[in-house]
Amino acid sequence: MTTDFVTPARRVAVAVCLVWGLVVGALVVRTWIRAEDALAAQEGRSVAASFGPDFQPTRLPVRTPVAAGRVANVVRTMERQIGPAANRIAESERTLSLGRLWSRYVSVPVKDADEWDVVGAVVLRADWWRGVAIPLAVVLATLLVAATLGRRGVVRASEDVSTPPYFLVADAIATLTVGTTGALVLASRRLTEAAAILPPPSAQVRFDPLSLPMPGTRTLGVLLLGWCFAAACALFLCAWMASPRRSVAERRESATAWSFLAPSGVHLLVFTLGPLLFTAWLSLHPWDLLETSRPFIGLTNYRELLSDPQFWNALRNTALYTLYVPVTMVLALGAAMLLNQPLRGMRVLRAMVFLPTVVSYVAIAMVWQWIYHADYGLLNYLIRLVGGTGVDWLGNPATALVALMIVSAWVQLGYQMIVYLAGLQGIPETLLEAARLDGANAWHRFTQVTWPLLRPVSLYLLVTGIIWSFQVFALVYVMTEGGPARSTDVLVFQIYQQAWEFRRLGYASALSWVLFAILLGLTLLQWRLLNRKVEYAG
Amino acid sequence: MATVRLQQLTRKFPDGSVALAGLTLDIKHGEFLVLVGPSGCGKTTALRLIAGLDAPTSGRIVVGEEDVTDLPPGSRDVAMVFQNYALYPHFTVAENIAFPLKMRRVPAGEQQRQVREVAETLGIGELLARKPAQLSGGQRQRVALARALVRQPAVFLFDEPLSNLDAQVRASTRAELVRLHRQLGATMIFVTHDQVEAMSMAQRMAVLNKGRLEQCAAPLEVYRTPATRFTAQFVGSPSINTFDGTIEGKGSRQLFVGAVQVPVTAPPGSGTLAVRPEHLHIVPPGDGTFPVRVALVEPLGAECIVHALLGDNTEVRVRVPGLPTVATGDTVHLRIDHEAALVFDAEGRLEGRGRRP
């Protein structure tokens, strides 16, 4: 790539960003100051008016804050100067006035009973830093955005790294700051509007800033989100346009790609992300499906869950249940190696082993229920044939979970075998031939060549197998319903039970999120492990 | 002594097709023998049989004094370099090279010493810690070679080891292999479909066609005196010109009659006259010349190849030294070096040569 990474396009983008930030900053500062002054004036008038006709100026040489109200979530303090202290204020200033940026005050004259002589003034002074902090913050944020854009260009030009991690962070920070700026604009605008509809100065009511018609948190939240989104889009577009590697054709190509992705993206948003967020919200509230009010109860559901022995029992059972995965993997690898022989009829055999995987879990559960039946079951029949005594496989807490694990192993064996078979066939034949020439016997060929090369496959099977086994439900539901004595109660079954039998959707949602956290952890683990390099290039 | 004797080696596939039909070949100790032929001729099959990766349907393989036909590959004292190198992707270069030693339970210290030694010989000493995926084609090739070398086998087998390399690396590796052979003095059997490779490297080359041995001789002998019409056509680029016709007359009047007429020494009957492109010359019209129309000129710098058509549209290829002197569409006259012409009988066997009229 060329070293000339400061393309005109990026220069324009950075400049636009800077100008935009400065303008926004100026606007914010202006409106903010105006609104504050308006409020202060109103406050002053109220105070002045409250003194009334029997005003005794000499008795009030006090400096006390009159109001410490909250305006747009900013604590502002004001002080009043009445009586002799007010004499220091020049005549011309004994009215509503705007000072300089760094020392602003508003004075309101206090007149005597016949409204003729000015006997004092109420002066409200804003904190000095108010004039500095906000513009400073805005300028800093803008600089950050500009720097991000510029940095992106440097990174793109210097090395062909698609997305360095700090780059993502920088973008996020930039988006956040731009979003905040936008929110600030919104807030100050609301403030101006509020100031405009203040009660007239003659009103005798004591002014309370809290009574201002400020935007509600919900509206503000929506506005803030919308603004963040718009700002992120704008920023993304800006950076995208400024990036040096994009030809028109490439841009068109990615636009096409996005348009293809859009339908599934929308689907994902509505049917996956939506319910996900809903359960997250639900897990912080109690709900029994009928009640319309769902008060916020914080983490109560989670706290209850952690102290619930049934939850721990289900977690333990689920963890035990996953043990079938490695056992099945060993069997599957053996089966795959047997079925990998180029013999007649192998395809049929493979299909037969694979068959259970495509059959409905409910059907499988019914069949195995019969096999396990204490009196009429096939298994006990066979045991009695050889002289043993039958066991009530599904009715005995000691055997029920193992019985379920055997069914799962039977089902999963075919799938794992097929995956292993694909893995085996992906190993180049010449590697094994080379090993034979190098003097490796069958065992060494397996341990030194085949098994190491199957490692990614094994890892994949192990982790996906565990993830799946954490989601086991149909078998438990049909065969044991969590019994006997909760010995086959697993997490998903408990979620089902809490939600649809006990109608505790909030609690069930909390359970779901715990399960989600476990699965997320496992998935991340899988990524970490699988992304380690194993090269097949010979 | 690492001689390799192949006796009536035959390999048939279950579907009845024959990959190798009774190959008999004696390879001398320390010889560099190249098995060459078009794809499907059985050369790789022969190599795999020698390696022990496949079992022959019939016939014996003798290495030195020992009949190895029924021995597993690891016990044969042969090492093989595969076309795709077959490096173990999960091992480092050092582990790859050490693998045969490890399988033979050589002590670890000794393994390291030998690996280092072989790696230094091949100039890959600084690559030992890398994985095969981090190597270039030429480097992988050296690692595969090192893995074969470290065993110090009696016989080296090469299965088209140069075909995956780009042209420049291939030429240098070719020379290096020859040098290595001279240095080690080991028996090497090299399979290739590239006749240039065969010609440039072989001490003897065995030309295979459809599972049968056509000829086994020194490269220049194969070039000058091909035993069969197939060999004549396979060896040499551009390939030899052939003319079908009959041999007529007796004694000093024997004449090949076809698209061209050449006095020959061969039994009468139908036959094929073959003339290499460098044995045709563009000359002024005169006695014993024939006219052709130039169809295409390929200038190669040092020489050019002229494709021309005879009156009956038979194509002939003429190698002309230097820059092109003729252009497409010209009519020029050609003369044949009579003594260099070859005559094959109807079965394709060499039966005579051209002679001075």
Side-chain angles (χ1 to χ4, degrees):
Chain A
M1 210 39 216
T2 56
T3 49
D4 177 32
F5 54 81
V6 190
T7 59
R10 181 169 308 99
R11 234 178 252 161
V12 168
V14 171
V16 164
C17 235
L18 272 172
V19 170
W20 179 44
L22 287 174
V23 168
V24 167
L27 277 175
V28 168
V29 169
R30 216 185 64 161
T31 43
W32 193 269
I33 288 172
R34 269 191 189 172
E36 283 213 348
D37 289 341
L39 290 174
Q42 179 63 23
E43 170 106 42
R45 281 189 206 108
S46 312
V47 173
S50 69
F51 291 140
D54 50 343
F55 171 57
Q56 304 268 314
T58 46
R59 279 171 56 197
L60 285 160
V62 283
R63 288 159 63 97
T64 38
V66 215
R70 291 164 66 83
V71 178
N73 297 333
V74 178
V75 179
R76 69 197 279 279
T77 56
M78 292 182 271
E79 57 182 291
R80 69 175 177 179
Q81 296 182 326
I82 295 168
N87 290 340
R88 281 185 275 130
I89 303 168
E91 185 78 31
S92 58
E93 286 174 338
R94 286 180 190 168
T95 46
L96 180 67
S97 66
L98 301 174
R100 281 153 305 203
L101 199 62
W102 49 89
S103 73
R104 290 175 299 108
Y105 50 85
V106 172
S107 66
V108 177
V110 178
K111 295 170 184 174
D112 59 4
D114 40 340
E115 298 245 327
W116 187 255
D117 278 339
V118 174
V119 293
V122 176
V123 178
L124 296 165
R125 200 169 63 195
D127 295 324
W128 65 270
W129 46 265
R130 273 179 204 284
V132 185
I134 295 167
L136 204 69
V138 171
V139 169
L140 273 178
T142 323
L143 278 175
L144 198 67
V145 174
T148 309
L149 275 178
R151 179 88 194 139
R152 183 191 169 113
V154 173
V155 168
R156 286 288 288 261
S158 58
E159 50 181 325
D160 196 3
V161 181
S162 52
T163 320
Y166 65 82
F167 174 29
L168 288 173
V169 176
D171 246 0
I173 291 173
T175 309
L176 209 70
T177 47
V178 172
T180 326
T181 316
L184 222 61
V185 173
L186 274 176
S188 61
R189 234 178 117 185
R190 285 310 216 138
L191 225 80
T192 323
E193 283 170 22
I197 56 163
L198 281 171
S202 58
Q204 292 269 330
V205 288
R206 195 181 183 288
F207 171 65
D208 179 9
L210 280 176
S211 67
L212 271 177
M214 294 301 285
T217 45
R218 182 168 300 199
T219 338
L220 198 68
V222 169
L223 281 170
L224 195 79
L225 265 178
W227 230 95
C228 277
F229 182 70
C233 285
L235 198 77
F236 178 74
L237 207 71
C238 211
W240 189 54
M241 299 287 270
S243 61
R245 296 187 164 228
R246 298 267 171 186
S247 67
V248 176
E250 270 176 81
R251 241 176 267 172
R252 198 173 297 142
E253 201 172 284
S254 42
T256 312
W258 279 107
S259 66
F260 273 112
L261 283 174
S264 60
V266 168
H267 179 272
L268 203 69
L269 226 70
V270 173
F271 292 106
T272 303
L273 200 64
L276 198 73
L277 292 178
F278 182 61
T279 52
W281 179 82
L282 210 55
S283 72
L284 305 175
H285 303 74
W287 191 34
D288 68 353
L289 283 171
L290 303 174
E291 196 73 42
T292 45
S293 79
R294 283 167 278 185
F296 177 76
I297 53 165
L299 296 173
T300 312
N301 280 330
Y302 291 95
R303 224 172 287 134
E304 182 185 340
L305 181 153
L306 290 180
S307 58
D308 185 358
Q310 282 191 16
F311 164 73
W312 291 107
N313 175 51
L315 192 63
R316 205 191 102 245
N317 284 341
T318 314
L320 272 177
Y321 173 80
T322 56
L323 288 180
Y324 89 86
V325 176
V327 176
T328 317
M329 278 171 61
V330 174
L331 295 174
L333 180 57
M337 291 185 58
L338 279 177
L339 294 175
N340 198 25
Q341 311 297 326
L343 294 178
R344 191 185 292 267
M346 273 304 163
R347 279 159 184 259
V348 180
L349 258 176
R350 284 176 204 166
M352 277 169 62
V353 177
F354 186 65
L355 211 56
T357 310
V358 293
V359 178
S360 150
Y361 257 106
V362 176
I364 288 168
M366 306 279 272
V367 171
W368 278 88
Q369 221 168 6
W370 168 72
I371 291 176
Y372 282 142
H373 195 279
D375 302 321
Y376 314 109
L378 179 69
L379 193 57
N380 278 353
Y381 172 74
L382 291 175
I383 289 174
R384 287 196 198 97
L385 267 191
V386 296
T389 47
V391 182
D392 185 1
W393 293 98
L394 295 176
N396 185 342
T399 56
L401 193 64
V402 175
L404 286 186
M405 286 163 72
I406 291 173
V407 181
S408 304
W410 180 74
V411 174
Q412 284 290 303
L413 183 67
Y415 171 75
Q416 298 191 347
M417 184 272 294
I418 288 288
V419 176
Y420 263 132
L421 205 59
L424 282 175
Q425 289 176 353
I427 297 176
E429 186 65 23
T430 47
L431 280 186
L432 296 169
E433 288 178 344
R436 274 168 77 192
L437 274 161
D438 287 341
N441 58 27
W443 172 248
H444 282 140
R445 284 203 297 279
F446 176 75
T447 56
Q448 301 286 327
V449 182
T450 309
W451 178 245
L453 289 180
L454 283 179
R455 208 186 64 127
V457 178
S458 302
L459 250 173
Y460 164 79
L461 282 178
L462 184 69
V463 179
T464 52
I466 290 176
I467 289 173
W468 285 343
S469 68
F470 261 86
Q471 298 172 358
V472 62
F473 173 69
L475 283 183
V476 175
Y477 182 67
V478 177
M479 292 178 75
T480 62
E481 293 195 45
R486 309 210 76 90
S487 64
T488 58
D489 192 9
V490 292
L491 277 180
V492 179
F493 186 73
Q494 205 172 59
I495 293 172
Y496 167 81
Q497 231 179 6
Q498 291 291 348
W500 305 109
E501 285 183 21
F502 308 147
R503 290 224 215 106
R504 302 182 61 200
L505 271 89
Y507 187 71
S509 296
L511 271 174
S512 306
W513 271 85
V514 170
L515 179 63
F516 176 74
I518 294 172
L519 293 182
L520 189 70
L522 286 172
T523 311
L524 289 178
L525 186 76
Q526 181 195 15
W527 276 4
R528 289 275 305 264
L529 293 174
L530 278 184
N531 281 354
R532 276 199 219 142
K533 262 198 200 158
V534 173
E535 308 88 356
Y536 272 98
Chain B
M1 287 293 281
T3 59
V4 179
R5 276 182 291 155
L6 311 180
Q7 298 167 350
Q8 288 299 318
L9 216 51
T10 300
R11 166 121 173 125
K12 289 181 183 146
F13 288 118
D15 64 359
S17 60
V18 178
L20 205 59
L23 176 67
T24 299
L25 200 58
D26 276 357
I27 299 150
K28 296 197 250 333
H29 172 73
E31 186 174 27
F32 197 111
L33 179 105
V34 175
L35 285 173
V36 67
S39 47
C41 71
K43 55 191 189 300
T44 297
T45 306
L47 203 70
R48 291 175 61 86
L49 291 179
I50 301 170
L53 295 173
D54 295 322
T57 313
S58 65
R60 312 301 299 171
I61 302 159
V62 181
V63 175
E65 299 303 318
E66 190 185 8
D67 185 335
V68 299
T69 316
D70 301 318
L71 284 181
S75 321
R76 289 193 178 195
D77 206 13
V78 296
M80 183 158 162
V81 177
F82 290 83
Q83 179 173 5
N84 61 4
Y85 318 132
L87 299 180
Y88 309 116
H90 53 294
F91 286 161
T92 62
V93 167
E95 287 167 333
N96 261 289
I97 301 174
F99 190 72
L101 302 177
K102 193 163 126 193
M103 289 299 107
R104 284 170 176 73
R105 300 184 192 287
V106 174
E110 179 66 13
Q111 276 183 32
Q112 275 186 2
R113 195 188 60 75
Q114 291 192 22
V115 167
R116 185 142 290 284
E117 195 181 300
V118 168
E120 294 303 335
T121 312
L122 291 173
I124 49 172
E126 70 281 12
L127 304 178
L128 286 176
R130 294 213 204 154
K131 290 273 179 80
Q134 298 164 296
L135 302 179
S136 70
Q139 290 171 332
R140 285 181 205 180
Q141 221 270 338
R142 280 158 192 271
V143 176
L145 200 58
R147 189 174 64 184
L149 276 178
V150 80
R151 291 172 48 187
Q152 300 175 324
V155 181
F156 286 91
L157 307 176
F158 297 94
D159 185 10
E160 309 211 18
L162 307 182
S163 58
N164 284 0
L165 299 177
D166 55 59
Q168 225 165 4
V169 183
R170 192 183 311 179
S172 64
T173 313
R174 214 152 65 188
E176 201 173 338
L177 271 180
V178 171
R179 185 182 59 77
L180 198 68
H181 172 249
R182 215 173 294 139
Q183 190 183 324
L184 296 173
T187 310
M188 293 189 177
I189 305 174
F190 190 102
V191 159
T192 180
H193 64 270
D194 182 353
Q195 48 102 5
V196 177
E197 218 165 273
M199 295 282 290
S200 62
M201 296 174 80
Q203 289 178 331
R204 274 200 305 159
M205 59 193 272
V207 183
L208 291 179
N209 183 31
K210 292 177 184 163
R212 289 175 194 286
L213 182 66
E214 296 272 334
Q215 186 175 12
C216 182
L220 284 182
E221 194 189 336
V222 173
Y223 189 77
R224 282 202 209 106
T225 322
T228 62
R229 182 177 156 165
F230 171 83
T231 310
Q233 285 180 319
F234 184 76
V235 177
S237 173
S239 68
I240 201 164
N241 297 298
T242 54
F243 308 95
D244 291 332
T246 50
I247 295 118
E248 292 167 3
K250 284 200 169 177
S252 61
R253 290 170 178 272
Q254 261 187 338
L255 200 62
F256 173 85
V257 182
V260 294
Q261 293 197 354
V262 175
V264 294
T265 334
S270 64
T272 304
L273 185 83
V275 184
R276 296 228 173 257
E278 61 268 32
H279 296 137
L280 285 171
H281 305 282
I282 297 176
V283 292
D287 203 23
T289 69
F290 54 97
V292 289
R293 192 160 38 81
V294 176
L296 176 70
V297 181
E298 294 177 276
L300 300 176
E303 59 182 24
C304 58
I305 312 296
V306 176
H307 297 254
L309 297 172
L310 286 175
D312 59 351
N313 275 347
T314 315
E315 197 199 293
V316 291
R317 292 162 293 277
V318 186
R319 193 192 293 267
V320 183
L323 298 171
T325 53
V326 296
T328 306
D330 288 357
T331 298
V332 295
H333 286 256
L334 295 181
R335 180 176 59 77
I336 293 175
D337 275 346
H338 288 173
E339 290 101 320
L342 304 163
V343 182
F344 297 97
D345 65 12
E347 271 77 55
R349 281 189 297 271
L350 186 68
E351 60 170 2
R353 286 181 170 275
R355 60 177 172 82
R356 203 180 282 276

